[in-house]
Amino acid sequence: MLDAELNALVTRVGPGTPGGDFMRRYWHPIGISADVKTADQPRQVRLLGEDLVLFRDDQGRIGLLGSQCSHRCTSLAYGRVEDGGIRCPFHGWLYAVDGRCLETPAEPDGSTLRERVVQLSYPCQELGGMIFAYMGPADSMPLLPRYETLVREDGTRKVDYYGINSNYLQNLEGAFDTPHGAYLHTDNWSVMKHRLASMPKPEISYEETEYGIAQRVYKSSPSPTGPTMGVNFTHFFMPYGFIRVQETHRNSGDWKKFQSWFVPADDTHTLRFLSSFAPLGTHGEPYEWPIETGTLTPPGPENDYFRDYYHTDTISGIPCRTIGSSVKGFMAQDSMVNETQGAIVDRTKEHFGAHDGVLMATRLMLLKGISDVQHGRDPKHIIRDVEQNVMVYVRSGEVTEHV
């Protein structure tokens, strides 16, 4: 458990908060490259409690600006992308991707007003089909980490994201709490619970790494035929990342890597970005990611997380698998358990069990990172040396580094 003061310290991420200052030392996913097209309609986004507008100008450059125009505070999200920037709908002021004001068309000839106006802007980079933004001090900007799931080319990649209506930390902890899968995600529960009860208890070991925490879990995992014992390898990377390594097919020797970023939109909303990568198979064949059908229907209390208590044999009554549907069962189950903890969970009420030590280790690492920034030090997993900005390969749970 955490007392109320420490809980607030590690969950509040807005401008001027200690947690917000800490978060602003890292690069953050803010969009999918394919979704932000050249000169397309600008997108209203929210990141670390700030309202921003994301766009790609007519020369293909990514811009991330404060959403309110410097003139009269109208939203630039309703502006037009043209003429080398984004134009405010109110009086036509035009801003470049770096925040420079290019035009103030209603001002008298010879006016120098535009030269004295700079719109809030944040630098962006694209990597692996995702857009990343840096919101911290310019003189503290680190390198954008070259994660394996973003830079490898010897396989297939899929990137996507979705929103969650609760604080980032409880969603990160929900992912890193791997023993939950055998309970929350097991279908045919009324039968499988008896099999699960006869199986060995989870065994968890973890260690601190240069990026965060590496965890090895021997546990039961859900499958269509019921829970089976196996080793699961997961990794926490600062400040809110999670990597899961999963065999493509049991005993195949082929592995898939799922990397998630639980990005704080603000204190009570999270964007989960996911980059999934599958190296070529043992026989050189590419893995084909399933094609999504229909428009994703977000789970939430308004649709009861798609619960069907009397016809679905899971603990919650939320289905695990919804083949051919726009509903993602595991997503709905995960969102339910994390959102129903509250917008920000009150950690003074927790009672940790035997396998929860890794969650406390994660919290302490975050608190240490906040303290480091407050005392003028770099927190963990800040990369400044190009030669140290390596791809992290995760094979069978063993982490090795390659330039």
Side-chain angles (χ1 to χ4, degrees):
M1 60 174 285
L2 289 179
D3 65 32
E5 182 178 356
L6 291 178
N7 194 40
L9 192 62
V10 80
T11 57
R12 303 291 184 178
V13 297
T17 63
D21 291 343
F22 159 71
M23 285 289 180
R24 283 165 173 78
R25 299 305 175 98
Y26 295 89
W27 286 90
H28 305 279
I30 189 60
I32 303 298
S33 293
D35 292 344
V36 185
K37 298 179 173 58
T38 298
D40 208 352
Q41 178 175 312
R43 305 166 70 91
Q44 177 79 47
V45 296
R46 190 164 171 81
L47 180 59
L48 301 183
E50 297 186 36
D51 290 318
L52 307 166
V53 59
L54 177 67
F55 65 99
R56 192 185 297 273
D57 73 7
D58 50 11
Q59 298 180 43
R61 298 170 298 196
I62 289 289
L64 183 66
L65 305 183
S67 66
Q68 292 184 293
C69 175
S70 293
H71 181 205
R72 298 279 300 281
C73 300
T74 290
S75 174
L76 293 176
Y78 287 91
R80 182 160 296 276
V81 180
E82 62 181 14
D83 301 330
I86 184 171
R87 192 178 296 280
C88 176
F90 202 178
H91 294 90
W93 287 25
L94 181 69
Y95 299 98
V97 296
D98 60 3
R100 288 178 298 117
C101 185
L102 303 177
E103 295 180 8
T104 53
E107 292 300 300
D109 293 342
S111 171
T112 60
L113 174 60
R114 69 176 182 83
E115 298 173 7
R116 302 192 300 274
V117 174
V118 179
Q119 181 73 6
L120 174 67
S121 67
Y122 293 120
C124 294
Q125 292 187 38
E126 297 183 80
L127 187 65
M130 295 171 61
I131 301 168
F132 293 82
Y134 176 74
M135 301 174 66
D139 59 359
S140 298
M141 183 189 299
L143 298 174
L144 174 62
R146 293 177 55 80
Y147 295 114
E148 174 188 17
T149 60
L150 296 174
V151 300
R152 283 186 68 172
E153 299 297 337
D154 59 332
T156 55
R157 178 181 296 106
K158 178 182 178 183
V159 294
D160 56 13
Y161 76 99
Y162 62 90
I164 311 169
N165 295 317
S166 54
N167 183 260
Y168 84 95
L169 183 55
Q170 60 214 62
N171 290 280
L172 168 65
E173 291 181 340
F176 212 27
D177 171 21
T178 53
H180 79 261
Y183 304 91
L184 177 65
H185 298 315
T186 287
D187 210 348
N188 196 19
W189 174 254
S190 61
V191 174
M192 295 304 172
K193 66 180 179 181
H194 302 293
R195 177 175 174 176
L196 184 62
S198 66
M199 299 174 76
K201 302 300 182 183
E203 298 176 8
I204 297 178
S205 60
Y206 58 91
E207 62 181 0
E208 182 174 349
T209 68
E210 73 281 358
Y211 55 83
I213 296 174
Q215 178 180 220
R216 181 186 185 278
V217 185
Y218 178 67
K219 70 179 187 70
S220 57
S221 299
S223 73
T225 57
T228 56
M229 296 301 296
V231 176
N232 185 275
F233 301 96
T234 57
H235 306 263
F236 159 63
F237 62 94
M238 290 276 271
Y240 46 56
F242 172 74
I243 300 175
R244 174 169 58 91
V245 185
Q246 175 181 312
E247 205 169 11
T248 302
H249 304 289
R250 187 169 294 278
N251 299 319
S252 67
D254 296 333
W255 296 82
K256 294 183 294 186
K257 295 90 187 282
F258 301 88
Q259 183 161 356
S260 294
W261 293 258
F262 291 93
V263 184
D266 53 33
D267 293 345
T268 58
H269 298 86
T270 301
L271 296 172
R272 181 177 184 175
F273 281 85
L274 179 65
S275 176
S276 307
F277 183 80
L280 297 176
T282 51
H283 301 291
E285 70 280 8
Y287 177 78
E288 295 185 10
W289 296 96
I291 298 175
E292 302 293 344
T293 58
T295 302
L296 175 66
T297 305
E302 66 280 357
N303 50 38
D304 205 23
Y305 301 94
F306 311 112
R307 190 183 198 191
D308 187 0
Y309 187 85
Y310 296 103
H311 302 97
T312 299
D313 194 8
T314 63
I315 295 181
S316 64
I318 300 171
C320 291
R321 294 170 180 82
T322 47
I323 305 301
S325 167
S326 63
V327 175
K328 292 186 176 181
F330 281 16
M331 177 200 293
Q333 293 169 343
D334 286 333
S335 292
M336 180 276 293
V337 297
N338 293 321
E339 290 184 358
T340 58
Q341 294 174 29
I344 302 178
V345 64
D346 181 356
R347 290 181 171 81
T348 66
K349 298 179 178 179
E350 295 177 322
H351 294 81
F352 267 10
H355 60 265
D356 294 324
V358 69
L359 302 184
M360 182 55 73
T362 302
R363 297 174 188 181
L364 292 174
M365 191 170 288
L366 290 170
L367 290 167
K368 172 64 164 54
I370 293 171
S371 177
D372 284 339
V373 171
Q374 289 179 311
H375 289 86
R377 300 186 295 266
D378 276 341
K380 181 183 282 290
H381 197 35
I382 291 295
I383 304 172
R384 303 198 180 280
D385 186 344
V386 173
E387 294 185 356
Q388 296 299 315
N389 195 10
V390 298
M391 297 182 288
V392 178
Y393 286 79
V394 186
R395 291 193 180 93
S396 302
E398 299 298 324
V399 178
T400 58
E401 295 182 348
H402 302 265
V403 175

